[in-house]
Amino acid sequence: DGARAGGAARVDGGQIVYPGAYPGADLRYQLNGLGVQKAIDLAGPDSPVSYSFRLSVVDDGPLPTVQRRPDGSYAVNVAEVWP
């Protein structure tokens, strides 16, 4: 929640960055061998200290699982379901 329109998206190889997507932060999606990683890149020490995200199920799909990692980040995973 709270994402807003910022500058034009920048594509660089396997990643896309949305500058100013959040107050004091950019939003970055990066492709890797396991899927897509979403990261919030803080602009500096005056950036907000917390963010909220709403997770929802798409088309009656599986519920996402959320795990806190040792570095303080969170991993959100959704099992793939093939028709």
Side-chain angles (χ1 to χ4, degrees):
D1 290 339
R4 61 185 181 161
R10 297 186 317 261
V11 177
D12 181 16
Q15 73 176 6
I16 185 166
V17 177
Y18 296 94
Y22 297 100
D26 299 341
L27 178 60
R28 178 171 37 95
Y29 289 97
Q30 185 168 9
L31 297 174
N32 60 39
L34 300 174
V36 178
Q37 178 182 9
K38 178 180 181 177
I40 299 172
D41 297 323
L42 302 178
D46 293 331
S47 295
V49 297
S50 66
Y51 293 89
S52 297
F53 297 94
R54 186 180 318 236
L55 303 176
S56 59
V57 176
V58 176
D59 297 331
D60 296 322
L63 293 173
T65 60
V66 180
Q67 298 172 323
R68 185 170 181 160
R69 296 177 174 168
D71 66 1
S73 66
Y74 287 86
V76 179
N77 298 296
V78 178
E80 291 185 32
V81 178
W82 300 97

